[in-house]
Amino acid sequence: MIKQGDKLPAGTLFEYIEVEGNGCSLGPNAFDIAQATAGKTVAIFGVPGAFTPTCSARHAPGYIEQAEAFKAAGVDEIWCVSVNDAFVMGAWARELKADGKVRFMADGSAEFAKATGLTLDLGAKGLGLRSIRYSLLAKDGVVTALNLEEGGAFKVSDAETLLAQAKAQQAA
């Protein structure tokens, strides 16, 4: 399982791009994780699924609402990562009005979740392999803060907790 001080695993995440530009075509685009985090501070929060109750009502909205505060704390980008396809993640981002605030990154085959060791088997509920709920800060691809939820809880991966950690790291 990934831990503080580890480098994010190599791999690819996908994002649905609404408007063609900056080298990105309309529709799903692949992003190399190492390249996308190089030289940046990225706040990443993982959720079990798009459009699910806690994820839609509390987890993602907190990061969208705090996007400017994260930028003020030195965070270059915020990513929401889920084991869903890029089309679903794009639709979810549109519904939550996340454009320009949070990037909704698809881990459709759970490759990132598996590589980090942050998986959750929800096969008995018909949902297959998913990601646990978590949040982390990565500076230049290295994890500097990590908050893992246990048993479906939503206590430590919220925007306020990760924002406090980002502010503390910025002040240090």
Side-chain angles (χ1 to χ4, degrees):
M1 182 179 296
I2 198 164
K3 61 188 179 308
Q4 195 168 325
D6 287 350
K7 192 146 186 71
L8 291 173
T12 304
L13 292 171
F14 296 84
E15 182 180 25
Y16 187 87
I17 305 295
E18 298 282 350
V19 179
E20 198 168 354
N22 294 332
C24 296
S25 61
L26 181 69
N29 282 261
F31 291 91
D32 179 88
I33 295 164
Q35 289 178 351
T37 59
K40 295 179 184 171
T41 298
V42 180
I44 301 174
F45 66 102
V47 298
F51 293 104
T52 56
T54 301
C55 304
S56 291
R58 298 175 56 207
H59 207 170
Y63 283 90
I64 294 165
E65 291 163 9
Q66 296 290 335
E68 287 304 315
F70 273 98
K71 287 196 187 318
V75 173
D76 298 296
E77 294 182 357
I78 304 169
W79 297 0
C80 174
V81 179
S82 184
V83 180
N84 290 104
D85 66 65
F87 294 102
V88 168
M89 293 299 283
W92 193 34
R94 269 192 309 281
E95 179 172 295
L96 294 176
K97 298 175 179 46
D99 190 39
K101 297 175 183 173
V102 174
R103 296 178 70 181
F104 279 61
M105 307 296 264
D107 182 23
S109 298
E111 295 303 321
F112 183 73
K114 288 185 236 177
T116 59
L118 303 176
T119 59
L120 175 65
D121 185 353
L122 293 176
K125 294 182 179 182
L127 298 171
L129 188 66
R130 295 293 176 142
S131 168
I132 68 166
R133 188 179 306 282
Y134 67 89
S135 66
L136 66 82
L137 278 177
K139 289 190 179 192
D140 198 25
V142 176
V143 177
T144 61
L146 179 62
N147 307 296
L148 306 175
E149 298 288 3
E150 292 186 26
F154 179 58
K155 297 178 180 176
V156 298
S157 63
D158 59 299
E160 291 76 18
T161 299
L162 196 63
L163 179 57
Q165 293 167 327
K167 287 177 179 179
Q169 288 183 18
Q170 185 184 41

